[in-house]
Amino acid sequence: METTILNGLIAYNTEGAYPWHMPGHKRRLNTIFPNLIEHPFAIDVTEVGDLDELHHPTGIIKQALERATEIYGSSQSYYLVNGSTCGILAAISAVCNPGDKIIVARNCHKSVYHAIRLLRLRSVYVMPDWNEKLQMFGGVSPDAVKKLLKMHQDAKAVLLVSPTYEGVVSDVEKIAKITHKFNLPLIVDAAHGAHFEYMANVNETISTTDYNHVPDPAIRLGADIVVESLHKTLPAMTQCGILHYKSGLIKQERLEEYLSIYQSTSPSYVFLATMEACIEKMDHERDGLFIVYKQLLSEYRKKFASLQHIHLVQEADFKKNSVYDYDDGKLVFVVENCGILQEQGMKIINGVTLGEMLHKEYGQVMEMAAGNYVIAMTSVADTKEAFEALYLAMEAIDSQLTNLTECADNNNEDGISYAIGAERKMTIAEAKEGTVTQVPIDEAQGSVSGEYIYIYPPGIPLVVPGEIISKELIFEIKKAIQLGLNTKGITKTDNGECQLTVRI
């Protein structure tokens, strides 16, 4: 019998490509954790004997959670074996009853929208600043949050994403103070910020050479619940996450009840063991691993910034009021108005083609290729040799590029705009529970969407169920399809026609 998944994984592992994508262990677990057991099946057990229970810990799991709580400075930290998704679902459920109102950043992960649907919540969106030049979101403005809280004093919570997929950090401390003045909790989806605790709190007296500033972790800035994906930016296995609780506004018993609902009753002890090992090693060796990591980032960000055509995104690329801080661990490379002259003519380079070139010609696999940029996710598992190989690949591609000055009036034609906005006709739950039909994309204008439409990754919806499909939205969807982006929520017929799901 052919094992297609296993064969596919083996084939990917043997092609020799380097992973600038999650998980953060970069498939070097044995190197990073030499004392971990070699065969995971040996520790793949269930809750028997003295092995404790995740949902009611009294023994070894309780001890590990107490240690994590001490390290992160929370009131209580919880292991997540179902990824950050279950943490987000539990956090929202802990603060909202069915039918409540919640203020959320529009660039939230789809798990937030799923919680809104399941609880039939009335969502109010705060739009992060949109960077037109880079074609990506900035941060959430504290003033925007304050304005919405004054307008919607019946809201039950505020939820934002910080850092974003592209590394943008909002002013969590100021936003937390604002929400607390309204006696409301702040939930932070910090899935991409699990490394902040260790990056921001190394012993800086050891060396001060060219360190870039590192944002503080949200749980230390006043947030009430923070959800982090250990596997994204730390050396932990996929699906490993952690939730930090530190609040007098949220009942801890209610949070724990919902964690037990959304998490598996058969938690993986392989995950639990590697989460504990990851956290302990990161804490004990932060003055070694993370100092080296910061020095590598400092060195190679300078090299990448020297490229002539490929632009490395920096904090300075954003307006001061749209970004409070930036995670230098995210290497975001923008290509704009660039091409390569070939025998058959000029080949236009965008995020998708840059990602393909890096993979096929140089063996460098990016985390994401968007309309006009790619993202390389870094971690302490990345070596100097890996950074150098990525730089040499970027340098080689950059040397082939030509500026298309004749296209200067058509900047960002490859970017996808998430800032188009949409008029809401009904709640997500109402839209998903009604009768829907499929219509050709060109006939969908003015209809109410019956489905999410988003590009994955990052999974931020262009439109959510219950919102009206506009002419501008159709334009962005067509652009995403033309660029070959992984666009979800559309249906293709046998003859290649694209259709959208709409409410009848």
Side-chain angles (χ1 to χ4, degrees), residues 195-335:
H195 58 303
F196 283 2
E197 169 61 34
Y198 309 102
M199 289 278 282
N201 294 299
V202 299
N203 185 358
E204 298 287 11
T205 61
I206 295 177
S207 173
T208 58
T209 305
D210 289 332
Y211 277 167
N212 293 306
H213 176 65
V214 179
D216 289 316
I219 197 63
R220 296 188 182 274
L221 297 175
D224 297 85
I225 294 179
V226 178
V227 181
E228 297 174 344
S229 290
L230 296 176
H231 72 94
K232 284 184 169 64
T233 57
L234 292 177
M237 297 181 78
T238 299
Q239 211 168 302
C240 292
I242 193 165
L243 181 148
H244 307 298
Y245 165 85
K246 194 174 185 179
S247 175
L249 297 173
I250 302 170
K251 292 182 179 179
Q252 187 172 354
E253 298 79 8
R254 183 177 169 98
L255 173 63
E256 291 178 351
E257 177 186 8
Y258 280 104
L259 281 171
S260 69
I261 290 174
Y262 292 116
Q263 294 223 80
S264 171
T265 56
S266 300
S268 167
Y269 273 84
V270 178
F271 288 176
L272 295 175
T274 54
M275 277 191 272
E276 181 185 31
C278 173
I279 290 170
E280 287 294 341
K281 186 176 182 71
M282 296 303 99
D283 181 56
H284 283 121
E285 299 187 27
R286 65 174 75 199
D287 290 341
L289 286 172
F290 285 92
I291 283 180
V292 171
Y293 178 45
K294 291 169 89 173
Q295 289 172 333
L296 284 173
L297 287 175
S298 178
E299 176 184 352
Y300 279 92
R301 287 190 71 91
K302 288 179 181 178
K303 285 190 172 185
F304 289 126
S306 69
L307 297 175
Q308 185 176 356
H309 304 289
I310 300 174
H311 175 69
L312 176 69
V313 173
Q314 311 272 8
E315 182 178 344
D317 289 319
F318 297 89
K319 298 176 183 177
K320 284 188 177 181
N321 61 348
S322 71
V323 56
Y324 179 73
D325 217 329
Y326 191 75
D327 175 19
D328 281 348
K330 284 292 177 69
L331 302 179
V332 184
F333 300 97
V334 175
V335 282

Side-chain angles (χ1 to χ4, degrees), residues 35 40 45 48 70 90 102 121 147 164 194 217 225 234 241 246 258 262 287 327 334 368 376 385 435 482 488 501:
N35 296 326
V45 296
V48 294
E70 176 188 358
I102 185 171
L121 301 179
K147 180 179 179 181
T164 66
I225 294 179
L234 292 177
K246 194 174 185 179
Y258 280 104
Y262 292 116
D287 290 341
D327 175 19
V334 175
M368 184 186 79
E385 291 75 19
T435 304
Q482 185 177 9
K488 305 294 187 182
T501 302

Side-chain angles (χ1 to χ4, degrees), residues 383-400:
T383 62
K384 182 177 178 63
E385 291 75 19
F387 276 102
E388 182 67 14
L390 179 60
Y391 170 69
L392 292 176
M394 287 290 185
E395 183 183 44
I397 295 174
D398 189 72
S399 67
Q400 302 174 55

Side-chain angles (χ1 to χ4, degrees), residues 52 94 98 333 428 443:
D52 210 355
F333 300 97
I428 295 174
E443 298 177 15

Side-chain angles (χ1 to χ4, degrees), residues 145 149 158 175-186 224:
V145 173
L149 285 171
V158 174
I175 293 173
K177 289 178 180 178
I178 291 170
T179 60
H180 292 163
K181 284 183 179 180
F182 286 84
N183 204 35
L184 294 180
L186 173 65
D224 297 85

